[in-house]
Amino acid sequence: MPRPTLALTALAITVGSLDAQTRPTMDIASLEVIPGVLVVVEGLTAEAARDGLTANDVYAEIEGLLADADVTVLTEREWSDLIGNPALQVNFQLLKPSPHLYLYNVTIELRQLTVLVRDSSKGAWTRTWSGGSLLGTTPTANLPSLRTEVHTLVHRFIDAYREAGDRRGRPIPLPDRRRIVVAAGGA
């Protein structure tokens, strides 16, 4: 499990009840034509599950928020057939310095397969949009309440997704990968 840096730990312990939010990176253009997203929840450990926070519960919470906002949650099959493979990734970094306290950093970002303009045979899984992060501390007994904290991050995505849809109409599926042509240097 990735651990927060020593400086982060010292800061959170020193401040006590630290609550911070980083600003989102809104690259709306990367959301303009995606018809939906695969939801990925990472970083929740067996210890967190014993303390009441499971990846399945967080996934269900995110799926419900997206469905209520008319954002399609893709199955793995739909996702693998879609150009760019857009995945909404929610990552938890948890540290439990004592039996009664968790330090957390929760991030949300959209990752997509991107290709290099100079060599389209080379691609990378890239963050194309970020909703920032939530950083704080919570008593172990309140760890399940992080599910509602995730609402803030998911609503940032929903707002950006809606804004992107408003720019060019509703996002549309692009079923045939062979139809994508990138022209360099004009027509």
Side-chain angles (χ1 to χ4, degrees):
M1 170 178 85
R3 298 228 181 232
T5 64
L6 184 57
L8 171 64
T9 303
L11 176 64
I13 290 172
T14 302
V15 173
S17 179
L18 173 69
D19 279 315
Q21 295 185 17
T22 61
R23 295 182 186 264
T25 302
M26 300 292 191
D27 190 355
I28 303 298
S30 70
L31 304 174
E32 285 182 356
V33 294
I34 62 171
V37 294
L38 177 73
V39 174
V40 179
V41 178
E42 296 183 329
L44 289 174
T45 63
E47 183 175 31
R50 284 190 299 274
D51 290 332
L53 185 64
T54 69
N56 286 340
D57 290 343
V58 172
Y59 178 90
E61 194 87 22
I62 294 168
E63 185 178 43
L65 291 169
L66 294 174
D68 289 347
D70 292 325
V71 177
T72 302
V73 176
L74 303 171
T75 65
E76 286 191 37
R77 171 68 188 235
E78 292 167 329
W79 173 80
S80 67
D81 289 342
L82 194 64
I83 293 173
N85 310 108
L88 186 64
Q89 181 178 10
V90 178
N91 191 314
F92 288 80
Q93 292 180 329
L94 301 173
L95 179 64
K96 191 175 181 182
S98 78
H100 306 290
L101 181 69
Y102 270 94
L103 308 174
Y104 64 87
N105 181 30
V106 185
T107 60
I108 188 169
E109 46 190 41
L110 183 75
R111 293 189 164 270
Q112 298 184 71
L113 179 62
T114 58
V115 295
L116 295 174
V117 173
R118 70 177 179 272
D119 184 351
S120 63
S121 69
K122 294 189 169 97
W125 188 246
T126 308
R127 178 183 66 203
T128 60
W129 176 89
S130 171
S133 65
L134 297 174
L135 173 69
T137 63
T138 189
T140 298
N142 292 346
L143 187 63
S145 69
L146 283 184
R147 285 195 316 267
T148 55
E149 292 289 327
V150 170
H151 287 208
T152 300
L153 297 174
V154 174
H155 281 290
R156 288 179 188 169
F157 172 76
I158 290 168
D159 291 345
Y161 186 83
R162 285 180 175 158
E163 182 180 336
D166 290 345
R167 287 183 177 192
R168 288 195 186 163
R170 300 284 300 160
I172 56 169
L174 300 172
D176 186 354
R177 292 175 190 259
R178 295 170 300 203
R179 296 179 68 197
I180 299 299
V181 177
V182 177

